[in-house]
mmCIF file of all heavy atoms in Angstrom:
data_model
loop_
_atom_site.group_PDB
_atom_site.id
_atom_site.type_symbol
_atom_site.label_atom_id
_atom_site.label_comp_id
_atom_site.label_asym_id
_atom_site.label_seq_id
_atom_site.Cartn_x
_atom_site.Cartn_y
_atom_site.Cartn_z
ATOM 1 N N PRO A 37 14.310 2.181 -7.742
ATOM 2 C CA PRO A 37 12.908 2.046 -7.324
ATOM 3 C C PRO A 37 12.539 3.090 -6.269
ATOM 4 O O PRO A 37 11.400 3.543 -6.222
ATOM 5 C CB PRO A 37 12.843 0.628 -6.751
ATOM 6 C CG PRO A 37 13.983 -0.091 -7.370
ATOM 7 C CD PRO A 37 15.067 0.935 -7.535
ATOM 8 N N GLY A 162 -6.407 -11.357 20.654
ATOM 9 C CA GLY A 162 -7.179 -11.412 21.886
ATOM 10 C C GLY A 162 -8.649 -11.660 21.639
ATOM 11 O O GLY A 162 -9.276 -12.491 22.311
ATOM 12 N N TYR A 200 -13.616 -4.287 30.336
ATOM 13 C CA TYR A 200 -14.864 -5.041 30.429
ATOM 14 C C TYR A 200 -14.625 -6.407 31.077
ATOM 15 O O TYR A 200 -15.425 -6.862 31.906
ATOM 16 C CB TYR A 200 -15.462 -5.222 29.035
ATOM 17 C CG TYR A 200 -16.827 -5.865 29.040
ATOM 18 C CD1 TYR A 200 -17.958 -5.131 29.399
ATOM 19 C CD2 TYR A 200 -17.005 -7.196 28.674
ATOM 20 C CE1 TYR A 200 -19.220 -5.711 29.403
ATOM 21 C CE2 TYR A 200 -18.249 -7.783 28.665
ATOM 22 C CZ TYR A 200 -19.357 -7.038 29.038
ATOM 23 O OH TYR A 200 -20.606 -7.620 29.048
ATOM 24 N N ALA A 208 -14.891 -4.047 39.503
ATOM 25 C CA ALA A 208 -15.813 -3.114 38.863
ATOM 26 C C ALA A 208 -15.217 -1.728 38.660
ATOM 27 O O ALA A 208 -15.311 -1.159 37.563
ATOM 28 C CB ALA A 208 -17.100 -3.014 39.676
ATOM 29 N N GLN A 234 -19.410 0.308 27.664
ATOM 30 C CA GLN A 234 -19.245 1.095 28.882
ATOM 31 C C GLN A 234 -20.592 1.401 29.528
ATOM 32 O O GLN A 234 -20.760 1.298 30.740
ATOM 33 C CB GLN A 234 -18.505 2.389 28.549
ATOM 34 C CG GLN A 234 -18.160 3.237 29.761
ATOM 35 C CD GLN A 234 -18.692 4.660 29.634
ATOM 36 O OE1 GLN A 234 -19.668 4.894 28.923
ATOM 37 N NE2 GLN A 234 -18.062 5.581 30.337
#
Side-chain angles (χ1 to χ4, degrees):
Y200 186 76
Q234 185 235 25

